[in-house]
Amino acid sequence: MGHLLWQFLLYGSYFLSLAANGFFLFRLCAPFVRTRRGRVGKAVLFLLLMGTSGMVIWVGDPNMLYTLPVFFTLFLLCTQGDYVGRLAVCVISFCLIMSACAFLDTYIQRIDHYAIYDVLTRLARPAVFGAAYLLLRRRLPREEVQLSRQLWKLVLGLSAMPLCALIAVVLLTYEHHSSALVDALAKNQGLVVLPFAFLTSLALLFAMTILAGHQRLEEASRLTGLREVYYQNLQQQERQVRTLRHDLRNHLTVVRGLLEGGDAQGALGYLDQIAGSPALRGTMRLCENETANVVLAAKAEEMAREGLTGDFAVSLPKELPVADTDLCALLGNALDNAMEAARQSADKRIIVRCRAEKELFMLRLENAVGQAVRPDLSTTKADKSAHGFGLAGMREIAERCGGTMEARVQAGRFELVVCFPLSRKGENEHAASADH
């Protein structure tokens, strides 16, 4: 009976330590990825992190090689979004877990007493992962981290450093593990390389939060710039109205003189000139939502200056459960792409249809194709590092809001359709409050 109780306590403590590992690792990874299918995806990710943290890994051990493809496959299957970002977070998470496990198993293993070694490794892992979580806890964002494809590629490239260091120390000495000299050299290197891989992985997680913050500031700055353009136009129209009001008596005198002189045609022409004054066109109001109206009005003014024709039919309410920066990025990128194509085409008309009804947000843009379009709709510009992220960003926003984005070329015209539900108010309103 006493032996069974001891076994129960032993295995119970083992699974408890694994659960603690899974908790800390999940809290570290959760802000950087979006899981599939709600709770099922979260459960799979949690179990994957928990199980991997219990792997026995040491310098010169091939277990890491067997774990790697399983970890990568399950991680990518239970997450969704930009595959470059998911792969980057997957590599960083793998390096974080394997470097800690390899260090603890390799150097605590020098204790001859197996029971003490076993207990120490079980206690040390949640202690290490817990310390890592507490170190970054205040820096971890509440909402999901969103980065552009370019920044995700940068993070993925940087994540190769801890991964290559980990592989070099843990795996490359496997065939020569029987050599005492090679084994000693590898373990001496591991004292430096494994902590380096662990700390580098933590630094990359921290760097992603910094990059995400800068990207949010950049989007907010863009929205602020559009608002400034919008209000400058309002001020200009107000000045024109004051001028027209000041000169109204003179205008009436001219019209009266023309009529008294029998020049009715001249009077009508003069009235047409007054009617065409920008002051009488009034403030451009395309919809009730302030953020959307700011973006659309600013782009409409830009279209007018460049000789493009904007066909707008927008019906958006004053309040939308969508973050202002997301709405700005969605409409701004879509219109920027359409205007760029229209500039290079003989057909200058851009059709914009946007509405929110029946708990759905729907956006459709149509414009002529200005030049050859690749099958994958990627940018044709030479500098690919600075272009081609608009569609990817819009798709990411649509998917994050639970919807879809479709882009196609048909009969020489490009059509973009974005649709997502507005019923997910909790998530979107939380994101909006974070932006403000």
Side-chain angles (χ1 to χ4, degrees):
M1 184 69 180
H3 178 71
L4 291 177
L5 180 61
W6 170 252
Q7 291 292 326
F8 176 78
L9 292 175
L10 186 65
Y11 286 112
S13 64
Y14 176 66
F15 284 110
L16 188 62
S17 67
L18 285 181
N21 296 340
F23 171 79
F24 293 129
L25 291 169
F26 183 83
R27 295 299 296 268
L28 280 171
C29 295
F32 304 100
V33 290
R34 186 168 68 255
T35 54
R36 296 181 186 271
R37 299 176 185 175
R39 294 181 179 179
V40 176
K42 290 181 179 179
V44 173
L45 180 60
F46 177 85
L47 292 174
L48 174 64
L49 297 172
M50 184 182 76
T52 308
S53 68
M55 290 294 298
V56 177
I57 305 289
W58 61 83
V59 173
D61 179 24
N63 278 351
M64 195 181 82
L65 180 62
Y66 309 141
T67 307
L68 188 146
V70 176
F71 184 90
F72 276 50
T73 301
L74 291 179
F75 192 98
L76 295 176
L77 285 176
C78 70
T79 57
Q80 59 182 336
D82 191 327
Y83 74 92
V84 177
R86 291 157 55 204
L87 185 58
V89 178
C90 178
V91 172
I92 293 171
S93 303
F94 182 79
C95 293
L96 187 72
I97 297 171
M98 291 294 102
S99 59
C101 292
F103 185 87
L104 295 174
D105 289 342
T106 298
Y107 300 104
I108 296 180
Q109 190 183 32
R110 296 183 177 183
I111 300 175
D112 293 334
H113 198 288
Y114 176 77
I116 297 177
Y117 156 75
D118 189 44
V119 171
L120 285 178
T121 53
R122 291 179 184 178
L123 294 177
R125 294 187 190 198
V128 170
F129 296 132
Y133 169 67
L134 292 175
L135 183 64
L136 294 182
R137 181 171 62 90
R138 292 186 177 181
R139 292 288 186 176
L140 294 175
R142 295 181 180 273
E143 70 276 7
E144 181 189 343
V145 167
Q146 304 297 329
L147 297 178
S148 66
R149 173 66 66 86
Q150 186 179 20
L151 290 179
W152 276 129
K153 286 182 178 179
L154 173 63
V155 174
L156 180 59
L158 293 174
S159 67
M161 290 193 300
L163 181 62
C164 292
L166 195 62
I167 291 174
V169 170
V170 176
L171 291 181
L172 295 185
T173 58
Y174 169 61
E175 294 294 335
H176 306 283
H177 184 62
S178 57
S179 171
L181 180 61
V182 173
D183 184 60
L185 180 61
K187 288 182 177 178
N188 288 336
Q189 290 177 338
L191 284 171
V192 177
V193 174
L194 294 177
F196 166 80
F198 182 81
L199 293 175
T200 302
S201 301
L202 282 181
L204 288 174
L205 291 179
F206 177 72
M208 284 192 287
T209 64
I210 300 298
L211 291 173
H214 283 296
Q215 186 162 289
R216 285 195 297 270
L217 288 175
E218 185 178 345
E219 289 293 341
S221 176
R222 182 186 182 188
L223 179 56
T224 302
L226 290 173
R227 282 197 172 113
E228 184 177 352
V229 171
Y230 178 72
Y231 291 123
Q232 284 177 353
N233 290 333
L234 288 182
Q235 291 174 354
Q236 182 180 0
Q237 291 175 4
E238 185 180 355
R239 287 193 298 269
Q240 291 170 345
V241 169
R242 288 200 301 265
T243 302
L244 182 62
R245 185 183 301 164
H246 181 269
D247 296 338
L248 185 58
R249 183 185 298 274
N250 296 329
H251 293 314
L252 292 176
T253 301
V254 172
V255 171
R256 180 174 181 175
L258 291 172
L259 291 174
E260 288 177 349
D263 188 2
Q265 196 66 30
L268 290 174
Y270 193 82
L271 289 174
D272 288 339
Q273 291 180 18
I274 297 175
S277 171
L280 296 180
R281 289 202 296 264
T283 303
M284 184 172 291
R285 195 73 187 173
L286 297 171
C287 68
E288 294 300 318
N289 184 271
E290 180 189 355
T291 299
N293 191 67
V294 165
V295 177
L296 294 172
K299 296 301 178 183
E301 290 286 342
E302 187 177 349
M303 289 181 194
R305 289 195 303 268
E306 298 185 10
L308 306 178
T309 303
D311 181 358
F312 292 89
V314 182
S315 177
L316 295 176
K318 186 175 182 180
E319 298 293 335
L320 277 175
V322 182
D324 286 348
T325 51
D326 283 345
L327 191 59
C328 173
L330 192 63
L331 296 173
N333 286 329
L335 286 167
D336 284 342
N337 292 343
M339 290 165 62
E340 182 179 346
R343 292 186 191 105
Q344 304 170 8
S345 173
D347 185 353
K348 304 297 183 182
R349 184 166 176 248
I350 299 174
I351 300 174
V352 182
R353 300 290 183 265
C354 186
R355 66 182 185 274
E357 61 180 24
K358 298 181 180 179
E359 297 296 328
L360 282 177
F361 176 91
M362 290 164 283
L363 169 66
R364 184 175 73 87
L365 266 85
E366 184 182 331
N367 57 271
V369 177
Q371 57 183 1
V373 178
R374 294 178 177 175
D376 60 353
L377 301 178
S378 62
T379 180
T380 57
K381 295 187 176 181
D383 185 8
K384 292 180 173 56
S385 63
H387 301 281
F389 299 100
L391 288 178
M394 286 184 282
R395 179 174 284 108
E396 184 278 320
I397 292 173
E399 291 178 352
R400 176 155 42 90
C401 294
T404 59
M405 188 208 81
E406 297 181 2
R408 57 181 175 267
V409 176
Q410 189 174 7
R413 294 190 67 81
F414 179 84
E415 185 179 22
L416 173 73
V417 178
V418 177
C419 181
F420 56 81
L422 295 173
S423 56
R424 299 170 59 176
K425 293 184 178 179
E427 176 183 345
N428 291 325
E429 285 176 353
H430 178 76
S433 63
D435 289 323
H436 291 295

